[in-house]
Amino acid sequence: MSEAQRTCQRPGCGGAYEDVGGGELYCDTCGLAPVVAPDGMVGSTPTGVTGGGGRGSRGSAGSGGSRASGRSARTSSQSSRSRRSVSGRLSRAVSGRSTSRSVSVRSSGSGAGPSSRGRLGAGLVEVPPIPRPDPRAMVLDNPEVPERKRFCSRSDCGAPVGRARGERPGRTEGFCTKCGHPYSFVPKLKAGDVVHGQYEVVGCLAHGGLGWVYLAVDRAVSDRWVVLKGLLDTGDQDAMAAAISERRFLAEIEHANIVRIYNFVEHLDQRTGSLDGYIVMEYVGGKSLKEIANGRRTPEGRRDPLPVEQACAYGIEALEALGHLHSRNLLYCDFKVDNAIQTEDQLKLIDMGAVRRMDDEESAIYGTVGYQSPEVADVGPSVASDLYTVGRTLAVLTFDFQGYTTVYADSLPDPDTIDVFRRYESFYRLLVRATDPDPARRFASAQEMAEQLTGVLREVVSLQTGRARPAVSTLFGPEVRVTDTELFPRLDGEVSRLGARTVRTGRRRAATAVPPPAAGPALPGGTSAAVGAPGGTGPGVGHAGGAGAGAGHAGGAGAGAGHGGGAGAGAGHGGGAGAGAGHGGGAGAGAGHAGGAGAGFGRPGAGGARGALPGAVSAVGGLGTEVSGLVRPADAPTAALALPVPRVDAGDPNAGFLAGLMASAPGELLTALAAAPAPSAETRLRQIRALLETGDAPGALAALESLEDERPDDWRVVWYRGLAGLVTGDHEGSALAFDAIYDAFPGEIAPKLALGLCAEVLGQLDNAAEYYRLVWSSDPSHVSAAFGLARVQLAGGDRAGAVRTLESVPETSVHCTAARVAAVRARLRRRTVNAGDAAFLDDLVAAARQVESLDVYGLDPARREQLSAEVLGCALDWVLSGGQGSVPPAAGGRTLLGSGLDERGLRFGLERSYRTLARLARGGEERIDLVERANRYRPRTWV
């Protein structure tokens, strides 16, 4: 090429053509390639082109496409306030308050890295593949632009053009009657035309707001299929400028989820003599998301929304592509269902016509009403506005979103009216954050939104399949420990209500106190002297009128449990009075049943009304006698400090210092933190936690308040505000804080676990069960969720559900034994029985088998015998409930834990268990008491 030929021929351009490889020449100034004219000469006037295969006509009256520069500066009526926390069941139910506390999110990564996934669905869900069609079959037989999509191409006009008048059809070429601008909707290329001496046109594929899309064959590169996108109107200077700008950087973009730009060429139109520009792109065969969504129909003909898991899979792939663009300082601007195609098992963005640089303040802005964020008209596009379009697209795909371009153009419908929002709260919260009117409160990056969307997808798939899909969190560590594994209060009374014989007065141990609960062998059900199973609990035992610090059965008095007139600081069943639980006239600061009065659980009777012990779990509508006081209430401060801890921000100045800390005790940690080079957010947060662990709540709150003044929107500060609320008793404030964290990170496990605990201590058992179930279904490594769910199920009277939950704790967990022990007690503890209850017999047999299998799990002999005694005691009650000495017909000839399922066999079994416990006892007094219990249950014999 001569020097003259190397000089750019375009008027006003002083650049020169450079060979960029493979013989392709591009101007080093304007970025355009030379045009090969029919006479073989190089030279042309500058033109431009922009893509638009999936876009509708411009203007709000068109098919949805719009140019921001031509839009009215509308703003959302809700854009001045956040929609955050509107989805929280818990926060709405607390006290009607709403939180003004905001949560800003720092990006957890740039999102620039390539995807490590090899297929659509993130390995979590199978998305039906779309076969690659024959490209020739996609060519339109009669390419026309429908009249309803014909508008003037001038950005400041947009008037309808080419419309029919009476019997006369609309013109495909002419001039706008409003502004006089020319228009043409006739394809400029026909089959057989060769563009740039290389691309042979096959026909038209589609049309859009900015041009026709042609299928062609690249004769210079293995006859590969390519797509040519041309300008609709070469007189539109905005469109030409956008096309030229597009060519300069889009050819450098290479990503598996973005259509490849091969070339930018120009072609002389023989009919008009104009020189038209075209973008040469990769051919992507498949279906657009719009076609996939519209192809799903109900029998009534209405659109059937995509399964939420399939939509999430599409969203994750789209965010991968957007993250790549953002890493190159580019914005996509117009993501929607039209602009993404699934081909086989891959999703690709196909329309790059609206892509612009982040620092571009001159180019026209393209977008679509219903997808574009409300602030773009005023401040322009941004990363946040791109993420907004993904949120809107997910909404359009997952439910019949009527009015998304009008009434709900920048808002979401009430979640109570949308089935997918009611079923998947986390998905709704993700959409709420992605489409927040305040751009600063949306996700900070495409990578962060993709991580949270993947977390939501894991939850959805786990709920649908019943198989957990856990993953390591980038924001939170694992559970610190599992607390409250002992669901039931310790049983120190009689294991059988009907089978224990009373001892005559005057016997040596009639009024002798049983050793305090802590002195005996540890029971998995608890270590404190609380109201428990049949027989109640108290610090002593007295029988048949015995006096002293014991439990009175039929008249006993003392600081124990009275069954029938017993008085004292224990539990009275039948006239018992004192600071315990009275069943039948009991009075005191405990739980009264049938007349009990006091600040405890109980049915209203002669003594007073039902009340709730501070911190105890209560159910809406009240609990029956069988379940009230059945389980130990959650220890909120201890459980709060066992919640997952936020990971240290790698960007914190003291991140390395904290990673090297060896101190584990809170006191030692405070001393070590004082030696930090300089205080930072992370060291101060660690200090707050250490102060809470040492019991210095005032100091922790003061330090937290100081940090909150400096960093009010830091999500870690909000998390520790919730933590402090649980420790100090501000349960409502804690629920509001954790609800804000859930809004910010809907794909994380930790905030749901924290909200479950808040709901439980607030007495909202239904909400607590729902949050615990979400956590346990999604990630079984959080075993505290299983115990929490079982606890609220038992408090709500669902024994069968609690047993299923406890038995679902995997054998690989160190808490499997505790869960199996709790499952045994959940079947039988304080359960009312009668002889004809066949279901009770099934539970007895299942509990006995569970006890026998616990040897495999390493249950120590003392606890095994104690558990065996409880099962045998319940079985004896069941046998005796049918009449003294009678065997219920359902019992047959079965055995239970090696004992016959009749009164004699069960009594021998109880005697054996108590004598074994006596041999394992740690003290003389305890051993004597256990031997006497064995004697009380031993059947009457001559020897």
Side-chain angles (χ1 to χ4, degrees):
M1 181 180 287
S2 67
E3 187 65 24
Q5 287 178 319
R6 286 187 178 277
T7 303
C8 185
Q9 300 297 314
R10 289 166 176 75
C13 181
Y17 294 121
E18 290 184 354
D19 190 340
V20 297
E24 294 187 2
L25 301 177
Y26 294 96
C27 177
D28 59 3
T29 300
C30 68
L32 299 177
V35 176
V36 181
D39 58 0
M41 296 296 295
V42 176
S44 63
T45 57
T47 61
V49 65
T50 185
R55 291 156 57 146
S57 303
R58 287 188 293 269
S60 59
S63 62
S66 65
R67 180 175 298 178
S69 58
R71 292 175 56 198
S72 61
R74 66 177 177 84
T75 56
S76 169
S77 60
Q78 302 182 24
S79 60
S80 61
R81 61 184 177 86
S82 172
R83 287 192 295 267
R84 197 62 52 81
S85 291
V86 298
S87 55
R89 297 176 309 227
L90 189 57
S91 60
R92 287 202 303 261
V94 166
S95 60
R97 298 190 305 170
S98 62
T99 178
S100 60
R101 186 176 295 119
S102 61
V103 179
S104 63
V105 183
R106 289 190 295 271
S107 174
S108 57
S110 65
S115 172
S116 60
R117 297 186 301 272
R119 60 190 176 88
L120 186 63
L124 298 170
V125 60
E126 291 292 334
V127 177
I130 301 296
R132 183 183 176 93
D134 179 7
R136 294 183 185 275
M138 307 305 294
V139 174
L140 299 176
D141 294 329
N142 183 26
E144 288 186 356
V145 177
E147 290 187 11
R148 70 180 186 278
K149 294 186 176 181
R150 299 177 187 174
F151 296 90
C152 178
S153 60
R154 284 187 57 173
S155 59
D156 57 350
C157 179
V161 296
R163 304 304 171 94
R165 294 185 178 181
E167 299 288 334
R168 189 181 68 182
R171 297 175 59 88
T172 56
E173 294 182 294
F175 297 88
C176 175
T177 57
K178 182 177 179 181
C179 67
H181 190 71
Y183 67 84
S184 174
F185 299 100
V186 177
K188 297 179 181 295
L189 301 177
K190 63 181 183 299
D193 286 350
V194 178
V195 177
H196 198 60
Q198 181 177 352
Y199 306 105
E200 181 181 344
V201 176
V202 177
C204 292
L205 290 174
H207 60 84
L210 294 179
W212 281 97
V213 183
Y214 303 91
L215 177 69
V217 177
D218 187 348
R219 295 304 185 190
V221 184
S222 305
D223 287 346
R224 65 181 175 184
W225 294 104
V226 296
V227 169
L228 305 179
K229 285 191 176 184
L231 277 181
L232 181 70
D233 181 3
T234 55
D236 187 342
Q237 296 299 318
D238 281 342
M240 288 192 294
I244 294 171
S245 176
E246 182 180 51
R247 171 61 193 90
R248 289 175 180 169
F249 56 80
L250 292 185
E252 302 174 0
I253 298 175
E254 293 188 32
H255 191 273
N257 298 113
I258 301 176
V259 66
R260 184 79 169 89
I261 307 294
Y262 293 139
N263 204 351
F264 180 85
V265 298
E266 293 178 330
H267 179 73
L268 183 64
D269 188 338
Q270 297 292 333
R271 186 173 65 89
T272 64
S274 65
L275 196 62
D276 303 319
Y278 296 92
I279 303 173
V280 184
M281 311 173 70
E282 168 192 11
Y283 171 75
V284 180
K287 291 184 179 181
S288 70
L289 296 186
K290 183 176 182 179
E291 291 175 303
I292 294 173
N294 288 340
R296 294 175 56 90
R297 295 287 170 178
T298 64
E300 295 77 24
R302 295 178 62 86
R303 188 173 75 83
D304 184 21
L306 287 179
V308 66
E309 66 275 14
Q310 184 175 345
C312 288
Y314 289 142
I316 293 168
E317 294 299 303
L319 288 166
E320 287 282 323
L322 294 183
H324 180 76
L325 291 176
H326 296 163
S327 72
R328 301 179 67 88
N329 205 36
L330 302 174
L331 299 171
Y332 189 76
C333 297
D334 195 25
F335 181 74
K336 56 184 177 182
V337 293
D338 310 70
N339 291 348
I341 281 183
Q342 181 187 348
T343 173
E344 298 178 335
D345 62 347
Q346 191 175 41
L347 188 77
K348 282 184 179 284
L349 304 189
I350 59 168
D351 188 351
M352 308 296 286
V355 175
R356 56 187 280 128
R357 297 187 184 276
M358 291 183 183
D359 57 0
D360 183 359
E361 298 181 358
E362 303 297 331
S363 301
I365 301 171
Y366 295 95
T368 303
V369 175
Y371 294 92
Q372 191 176 71
S373 60
E375 78 278 0
V376 169
D378 299 320
V379 301
S382 62
V383 170
S385 66
D386 264 6
L387 303 184
Y388 182 99
T389 62
V390 178
R392 296 290 294 183
T393 301
L394 289 173
V396 170
L397 290 173
T398 52
F399 64 95
D400 191 11
F401 199 170
Q402 298 291 330
Y404 75 94
T405 61
T406 53
V407 179
Y408 298 111
D410 50 18
S411 62
L412 294 171
D414 188 328
D416 293 334
T417 64
I418 306 298
D419 179 63
V420 70
F421 290 167
R422 292 195 303 268
R423 292 173 58 195
Y424 305 113
E425 181 182 354
S426 297
F427 178 67
Y428 173 68
R429 289 187 185 239
L430 181 130
L431 297 189
V432 168
R433 185 179 181 196
T435 61
D436 196 298
D438 182 0
R441 294 169 66 84
R442 296 174 198 154
F443 292 100
S445 69
Q447 182 186 32
E448 182 180 70
M449 183 173 175
E451 287 176 355
Q452 295 305 311
L453 183 56
T454 303
V456 171
L457 176 59
R458 290 182 182 279
E459 178 183 302
V460 169
V461 173
S462 298
L463 291 173
Q464 291 179 344
T465 64
R467 176 187 171 192
R469 302 297 181 94
V472 176
S473 171
T474 59
L475 299 179
F476 293 90
E479 278 187 315
V480 176
R481 57 188 172 277
V482 179
T483 63
D484 296 315
T485 58
E486 299 179 352
L487 301 184
F488 298 89
R490 179 169 178 169
L491 177 61
D492 287 318
E494 300 295 347
V495 295
S496 171
R497 294 181 181 181
L498 304 178
R501 296 194 185 91
T502 57
V503 183
R504 286 175 298 193
T505 354
R507 286 194 58 178
R508 180 174 59 86
R509 297 195 47 82
T512 305
V514 175
L523 279 172
T527 57
S528 63
V531 177
T537 63
V541 179
H543 300 276
H553 292 255
H563 292 253
H573 292 254
H583 291 254
H593 293 260
F601 288 101
R603 295 180 300 179
R610 177 182 181 273
L613 288 171
V617 177
S618 61
V620 178
L623 300 176
T625 307
E626 185 179 310
V627 296
S628 63
L630 173 64
V631 293
R632 303 172 70 182
D635 184 348
T638 304
L641 294 173
L643 289 171
V645 179
R647 296 189 185 275
V648 175
D649 182 6
D652 188 87
N654 286 318
F657 170 78
L658 291 172
L661 280 181
M662 302 300 294
S664 57
E668 297 175 0
L669 185 60
L670 288 172
T671 303
L673 290 172
S680 65
E682 289 292 349
T683 56
R684 294 167 70 181
L685 289 172
R686 186 69 69 88
Q687 179 190 38
I688 290 169
R689 180 177 180 86
L691 290 171
L692 290 173
E693 289 175 339
T694 59
D696 185 5
L701 292 175
L704 182 60
E705 185 175 354
S706 174
L707 184 58
E708 197 170 25
D709 290 339
E710 299 174 19
R711 307 168 68 93
D713 291 338
D714 190 328
W715 71 267
R716 290 174 175 83
V717 176
V718 179
W719 174 268
Y720 276 94
R721 170 61 65 185
L723 200 67
L726 281 174
V727 173
T728 59
D730 181 14
H731 299 153
E732 293 187 3
S734 179
L736 295 173
F738 289 132
D739 193 69
I741 299 295
Y742 187 11
D743 278 335
F745 305 113
E748 293 293 329
I749 291 293
K752 299 164 194 171
L753 183 59
L755 282 172
L757 179 59
C758 290
E760 183 179 358
V761 297
L762 286 168
Q764 300 177 22
L765 298 190
D766 51 348
N767 286 333
E770 182 62 26
Y771 286 125
Y772 283 141
R773 187 177 291 108
L774 278 178
V775 175
W776 185 237
S777 300
S778 305
D779 191 346
S781 67
H782 293 75
V783 184
S784 60
F787 285 99
L789 177 58
R791 190 166 52 244
V792 297
Q793 285 172 326
L794 285 168
D798 183 10
R799 288 181 181 269
V803 170
R804 286 193 300 269
T805 300
L806 292 167
E807 291 183 344
S808 68
V809 175
E811 295 182 2
T812 54
S813 171
V814 296
H815 303 287
C816 177
T817 300
R820 299 296 189 272
V821 169
V824 172
R825 291 194 168 109
R827 293 179 185 275
L828 305 176
R829 179 67 68 91
R830 288 184 58 176
R831 184 165 168 182
T832 304
V833 299
N834 58 71
D837 191 349
F840 188 81
L841 176 60
D842 293 338
D843 281 330
L844 274 175
V845 174
R849 289 174 180 170
Q850 193 80 70
V851 172
E852 291 170 343
S853 67
L854 281 171
D855 289 337
V856 179
Y857 298 107
L859 186 66
D860 61 274
R863 289 200 299 168
R864 185 191 185 282
E865 291 301 330
Q866 289 163 346
L867 201 60
S868 298
E870 291 186 39
V871 174
L872 294 171
C874 290
L876 182 59
D877 278 344
W878 181 73
V879 168
L880 295 179
S881 64
Q884 187 68 25
S886 67
V887 179
R894 300 187 187 184
T895 60
L896 205 69
L897 294 173
S899 303
L901 196 53
D902 54 28
E903 181 181 3
R904 183 177 179 83
L906 293 173
R907 287 187 177 278
F908 273 127
L910 282 168
E911 180 192 16
R912 182 174 58 252
S913 292
Y914 278 120
R915 293 195 186 280
T916 302
L917 285 172
R919 288 195 298 271
L920 298 172
R922 291 175 293 183
E925 291 294 320
E926 180 186 357
R927 184 177 298 110
I928 294 173
D929 177 70
L930 290 169
V931 169
E932 290 196 353
R933 289 185 185 229
N935 291 334
R936 288 201 296 274
Y937 284 106
R938 185 177 187 275
R940 300 182 185 279
T941 62
W942 289 103
V943 180

